[in-house]
Amino acid sequence: MQNRWFRGVITIVLVVLFISTLMDILNARTAQVQELPYSSLITASLKHQVTTADVNPSQHVVSWTNKQGQHYQTVYAPGETNTLSAELNKAGANVTVEKPSSSFVWIGLIGDFLPVLIVIGFVFFFFRQSQGGNRMMSFGKSQARLQADNLPKVTFADVAGVDEEKQELEEIVDFLKNPKRYLDMGARIPKGVLLFGPPGTGKTLLARAVAGEAGVPFFSESGSGFVEMFVGVGASRVRDLFEQAKKNAPCILFIDELDAVGRMRGAGYGGGNDEREQTLNQLLVEMDGFGVNEGVIVMAATNRPDVLDPALLRPGRFDRQIMVPRPDQAGRRKILEVHVANKPLDSDVDLDVIARRTPGFTGADLANLANEAALLAARERRKKITMKNFEEAAERVMAGPQKKTRVLSAFEKRVVAFHEGGHTLVGMLVPHGDPVNKVTIIPRGMAMGYTMPLPEEDRYLVTKEQILDKVAMSLGGRAAEQIVFGEISTGASDDLEKSTKMVKQMITEYGMSEELGPMTYGTRQDQVFLGRDLVRQRNYSEEVASKIDQAVRHIILQQYERAKNILLQHRATLNRIAIELIERETLDAKELQEILRATT
């Protein structure tokens, strides 16, 4: 708004300066000639002293020259042009009468009406400012957007992989369509629905689907849209948002990223006077205070439910809390069907295989996967998307694009081949390891190469033996380097970090250590001034901490020796895998099984 004020004032000043400069230029010649009264001109003409006279009827001015060559200017009365010209002719002067010019007329009119034009310009400028609804006064208005009717509506058919969550929300839709059925039974629909879960699982899409199914107005706002640097603005926007929602009831009011405004009070240096806390207080009052919000259902989404204020989560506010998890294999299959519906697929594309090869992918990841596959097919000038395009897209999403320009030396290529061969061989031979789907020494992202295990099914529980097998597989690369080259490289740094983390969790969180027993070591402590970020605090002595460190070291060394023994027993297989990787750069599951059968 300040920029618009500044531009308006600058424009008016420039116009005034332009008109003033133009008038000065036109009058410059007049200002340089000596002006004499009318009587002096008549006296000079009677004495036959006037040689030339230039009469300007439009300005009632005559410019004349005497016999000495001196120039003068005289103003005469309107209507005296003809009489003056006749007298000068009698006196023997060379008289010229200029024709009236329209430009001088217009300049005169502009000069007369310029103050009026400036006033009209100011009035018009202020009118335009107020026409948009006085922005200074609307600063505390809500910035929520009402979904337009002409936009394509999202329904439950557009949301896949979250069948149980959709069932929970169908009750909300049914209430918005048939409220009398519930009111007659004395039932009260939940005032608020909180959707929480990892990023990209479809929380916002579910909220839009509820609005699309119910056919009611849908207001959307982000949590950060309430909080401003000016005190009181957030609370004002909350009030205005609920007023708009009440006028359009029944409706759905959706707040995305609720944790931006709903963090626990006291989690800051501003205390109770903090602007964010005032905004949260107003939100709590609007959701369940003395006011009545019949027909207004508040939905919110967040991936940090642990930092929300407990007052938001109590019954009467967000009554229903729905966890939106990562989809399982069947859910991934349905999500892929939605995202490939408008894409031409080749006959070799198997969505079941793609779903099985993408454990842990969210709905957003799968949408990105389908889009990347389409981009790769278009880049190759194909008319249909092939299975190879999907496999390459999955690797791009998980590990990044290929670094074809990163050229490894012969020695580095050999080290990477044996390193990845060590991971692969240990992963294939441990009893609880996931089948290795692919191994490559083509650099991707920050990795020089990688091994891709593929779980046969989704797992929700992990046993101690499975964790130990994963640790052994992670250490297999370092063990292979030591066996073959007698030294180790920096390529195992990420493997060591993952192994240490898994073993430490196994001991301190899962109680899987025989030495320390079935106990949990460390508690989750709420750090108020860090916004309730959950960190693990020690609740044990230095003696116990030393035992934990010893147990972690013992298990890691034990699994490292285990990996070395497996590789030493199958050294021929390790050599064959490494040689094939150096020559072909990539091996799939079928080729790895053939090498294993041929060398054992």
Side-chain angles (χ1 to χ4, degrees), residues 322-333:
I322 301 175
M323 169 68 175
V324 186
R326 299 178 188 272
D328 55 14
Q329 182 175 330
R332 294 194 296 274
R333 173 69 164 79

Side-chain angles (χ1 to χ4, degrees), residues 45 48 53 82-97:
S45 65
H48 300 280
N82 294 332
T83 303
L84 179 61
S85 299
E87 291 293 335
L88 291 173
N89 281 323
K90 288 179 183 181
N94 184 13
V95 180
T96 302
V97 179

Side-chain angles (χ1 to χ4, degrees), residues 36-245:
L36 292 178
Y38 186 75
S39 59
S40 298
L41 174 61
I42 296 301
T43 302
S45 65
L46 292 175
K47 295 180 179 180
H48 300 280
Q49 293 292 319
V50 180
T51 58
T52 60
D54 186 5
V55 181
N56 187 340
S58 61
Q59 294 185 343
H60 312 298
V61 174
V62 57
S63 300
W64 52 281
T65 307
N66 61 13
K67 290 184 177 182
Q68 289 76 28
Q70 296 173 326
H71 298 281
Y72 300 101
Q73 184 174 339
T74 299
V75 178
Y76 63 89
E80 295 290 333
T81 301
N82 294 332
T83 303
L84 179 61
S85 299
E87 291 293 335
L88 291 173
N89 281 323
K90 288 179 183 181
N94 184 13
V95 180
T96 302
V97 179
E98 296 182 5
K99 293 182 179 180
S101 175
S102 60
S103 61
F104 287 106
V105 175
W106 281 107
I107 291 173
L109 290 175
I110 291 175
D112 294 338
F113 289 98
L114 181 60
V116 179
L117 292 175
I118 293 176
V119 172
I120 293 175
F122 269 111
V123 172
F124 179 73
F125 175 74
F126 284 112
F127 177 75
R128 286 195 61 185
Q129 292 295 316
S130 60
Q131 190 76 11
N134 198 340
R135 301 194 176 188
M136 285 296 291
M137 297 302 294
S138 65
F139 193 69
K141 298 294 183 180
S142 171
Q143 307 298 315
R145 298 177 299 276
L146 177 63
Q147 181 174 298
D149 295 334
N150 57 353
L151 292 178
K153 290 187 177 179
V154 178
T155 63
F156 283 145
D158 302 309
V159 185
V162 283
D163 295 337
E164 292 81 3
E165 290 73 22
K166 286 195 292 188
Q167 291 177 2
E168 290 285 330
L169 294 172
E170 283 175 356
E171 187 177 287
I172 306 293
V173 175
D174 191 40
F175 173 81
L176 291 171
K177 288 183 176 179
N178 307 293
K180 189 173 183 302
R181 180 191 309 168
Y182 293 87
L183 296 176
D184 290 344
M185 296 298 296
R188 178 182 60 82
I189 199 68
K191 291 186 178 181
V193 179
L194 178 64
L195 304 173
F196 65 95
T201 51
K203 300 182 289 295
T204 304
L205 188 64
L206 272 172
R208 292 180 58 194
V210 172
E213 290 284 344
V216 298
F218 180 77
F219 291 90
S220 63
E221 176 64 294
S222 65
S224 59
F226 293 111
V227 182
E228 293 282 354
M229 64 178 291
F230 302 104
V231 176
V233 171
S236 176
R237 288 182 176 178
V238 170
R239 285 191 296 269
D240 183 69
L241 176 59
F242 275 87
E243 288 177 3
Q244 292 183 44

